[in-house]
Amino acid sequence: MFANHGDALRQHLLISKRWFALVAMALALFCAAATAQAQNTFSSGSTGADGAFAPATSQIIAVPNSGTFNYTTVNIPANVNITFSRGTNNKPLTILASGDVVIAGTIIIDAKPGNANGSGGFGGPGGFNGGAGGYGFDQSFSGVPGDGPGGGGGGTGSASQGQPGAGGGGGYGTAGATGGGGTLAGQGGPRFGAVTILPLIGGSGGGGGGAINNNRGGAGGGGGGAVLIASSGTITINGVIYSRGGSGVHAQFGGSGGAGGAGGGIRLIANTITGGGSLDVSGGSGGGSYIAFNAGVGGQGYVRFEAYDYSNFSGTTTPSNIISFAFPHPLTPPNAPTLRIASVGGVNAPATPQGSLQGVPDVIVPSSQPNPVTVALEGANLPVGTIVQVTLTPSKGNRTTVQSSGLAGSESSSTASASVTLPGGISVISASAVIDLTVASAKPLF
C-alpha cells in the first residue's frame, strides 16, 4: 500500500508545491449502554467458503484484498504460530467462522519495528506506518511524523543543534509518550477511537527521531494491526493473540531515537468466549541514542469481548486495563456513518486515498493556490449539523486542527467545508466526527 520512504520523499520535500495524503474516517463514540435482555444466538455470517482452518505448522498468511476469511471452523494447535501479513490495500483482518474457534497456538498481527536504513516500520494489517528518521546528509534534519490519526510527532533536528529531539510515540487506546528533547521533541500522538473498535482500525505509527549534520535519526515503529474474530459458536483462547506496536530504532552518532508505534485492536464476538490465554496490544518501545534523547513509547491498544457468556474466560490482557465487555453486536452497524474528504483546494481526492507521509501523495495542490484553501467534506448517515474536526499533520512542524461548518443536507447525504492553511511540502489531512448516541436525534447504529 505504501511506497518505500527513502530519499525520494526527501526530494519531494524540496519541491515548491503542496503535496497531500488524505485520510477520512468517522470515529463513532458509543455512549449509550446496551440493554441487557434475552436475544437470539449470535451468527457470524460466515459463508464457510474457505472451509476449515486447521494448520499443522507455523506459517505466514497474507490478508486478502477483502480483508475477510470465511471459515467453517478454526483450530490453531499449540506451538503453531500464524502470522497474518498486511495485504496490498492494508485491510484489517476479519476471521469469520460458522462453527467454533479454538486458538491454542498463536495469532500474530504485530507491526514492524523501524528500519535501520531510516524508513519507518510498516503497521500490522489495518495499522499505520512509522515515520522516517531525520536525515542530516541533505539538510532534511527533522524526523517524519508517524501515520494515522494518532501518529507520533517527528523530533526536530538542526545543523546547529547538538542534541536533536526524539520522536513521539504513536497513539490509539491511550496517547503515545512525548520524546526526549524539550522543545525539539516529537509530541506523543493523541488517543483516538473507541472501546467498541468501530470502525475496525489499528494503531498509529511512532515519529522518527531528529538528526544533526551527517547523521540519521532513528525510524519510528508501525502501529499494531486490527483483527475481528467472530464465531457462531464458541471462541476458546488458550494461546496468544499479538497485536503489538513496533519498536523505534536506536539512533547512533548524534541522532535521536525513533518512537514506538501504538498497540492495535482485538475484537472477539461469539455466543461464548472461554479459555485462559492472553491478548497483547502493548505499544512499542522508543529507541535511544548514545548522546541524544530517548524516544517515546507507543500507546496501548484496545481489546473487546462481545458474548452472551464470557464468565469462564480466565486469561489476561497486556496491558491489564484495556479490556471491555458487551453482548454481541453486529460486525458493522447498520447505517454505518461514513466521512470522506472530497477535495482540497479544488483538487479532487482519489476514491481510496493512502493517507501516508511515507508514500505517494494523494493530491497535489499547486503552489500558486493562495491560502487558506477549502477542504470539501462528504458525509453519509451522520446527523445534520455535525461538526467535523479537520487535522493537518505536516512532515515538519506541529499538527493543527480546525472545525468545519456543520454538515448540511440530509442524514443520508451531507456536505461541509473547512478552511486550512497549507504549508509547503508533504502533509496529511484527516477528518473525524464524533457521534453521541445519547443524543435523541442521533440515529441508532445497532
Side-chain angles (χ1 to χ4, degrees):
M1 175 177 178
F2 302 123
N4 194 327
H5 183 274
D7 291 342
L9 177 58
R10 296 186 174 92
Q11 293 169 10
H12 293 164
L13 293 174
L14 303 179
I15 298 174
S16 61
K17 292 186 177 181
R18 296 162 182 152
W19 299 61
F20 290 91
L22 308 173
V23 178
M25 64 192 69
L27 301 179
L29 182 61
F30 297 99
C31 299
T35 302
Q37 57 184 341
Q39 302 183 47
N40 294 327
T41 56
F42 171 77
S43 174
S44 69
S46 174
T47 66
D50 296 314
F53 182 57
T57 59
S58 299
Q59 54 194 275
I60 299 174
I61 300 174
V63 176
N65 286 339
S66 67
T68 302
F69 291 98
N70 284 274
Y71 295 121
T72 52
T73 58
V74 173
N75 186 357
I76 301 176
N79 302 315
V80 170
N81 299 328
I82 304 300
T83 301
F84 289 96
S85 62
R86 58 192 287 166
T88 56
N89 58 0
N90 195 29
K91 287 277 192 178
L93 172 63
T94 298
I95 297 174
L96 308 180
S98 53
D100 291 340
V101 172
V102 178
I103 303 171
T106 304
I107 289 177
I108 303 169
I109 55 168
D110 287 342
K112 299 295 185 183
N115 294 296
N117 67 2
S119 59
F122 284 156
F128 296 89
N129 294 350
Y135 190 57
F137 295 91
D138 62 358
Q139 298 185 346
S140 177
F141 296 104
S142 294
V144 176
D147 287 340
T156 299
S158 169
S160 61
Q161 293 287 345
Q163 292 186 321
Y172 187 28
T174 60
T178 295
T183 59
L184 301 179
Q187 296 300 301
R191 176 188 180 275
F192 72 97
V195 296
T196 52
I197 317 183
L198 288 168
L200 186 63
I201 189 173
S204 293
I212 57 175
N213 270 336
N214 303 321
N215 289 281
R216 286 188 186 273
V227 60
L228 165 63
I229 302 175
S231 165
S232 300
T234 297
I235 296 177
T236 302
I237 303 172
N238 287 314
V240 185
I241 302 177
Y242 286 120
S243 180
R244 297 169 293 189
S247 58
V249 170
H250 184 91
Q252 299 183 8
F253 311 119
S256 286
I266 300 172
R267 183 184 176 202
L268 308 179
I269 315 176
N271 290 288
T272 301
I273 298 176
T274 188
S278 62
L279 303 96
D280 191 340
V281 291
S282 52
S285 60
S289 64
Y290 288 116
I291 63 172
F293 297 108
N294 294 335
V297 176
Q300 65 192 33
Y302 292 107
V303 174
R304 176 78 163 175
F305 278 17
E306 297 179 22
Y308 296 117
D309 183 3
Y310 41 75
S311 60
N312 290 321
F313 180 77
S314 59
T316 60
T317 64
T318 305
S320 61
N321 61 340
I322 43 76
I323 192 168
S324 65
F325 298 90
F327 290 121
H329 290 94
L331 306 185
T332 56
N335 305 309
T338 62
L339 179 65
R340 69 178 296 266
I341 296 171
S343 66
V344 178
V347 181
N348 290 334
T352 55
Q354 296 188 32
S356 174
L357 287 167
Q358 323 303 319
V360 177
D362 299 304
V363 167
I364 301 174
V365 178
S367 57
S368 58
Q369 177 77 25
N371 274 315
V373 301
T374 298
V375 177
L377 306 162
E378 295 178 350
N381 299 314
L382 289 165
V384 172
T386 296
I387 302 297
V388 178
Q389 306 297 316
V390 177
T391 299
L392 184 143
T393 304
S395 58
K396 296 180 182 179
N398 296 324
R399 71 180 72 204
T400 57
T401 299
V402 299
Q403 291 187 334
S404 75
S405 58
L407 287 171
S410 65
E411 189 168 300
S412 61
S413 178
S414 57
T415 59
S417 64
S419 293
V420 299
T421 298
L422 305 180
I426 301 177
S427 297
V428 168
I429 296 178
S430 62
S432 64
V434 174
I435 303 171
D436 185 347
L437 294 186
T438 61
V439 178
S441 61
K443 188 173 182 178
L445 298 181
F446 46 76

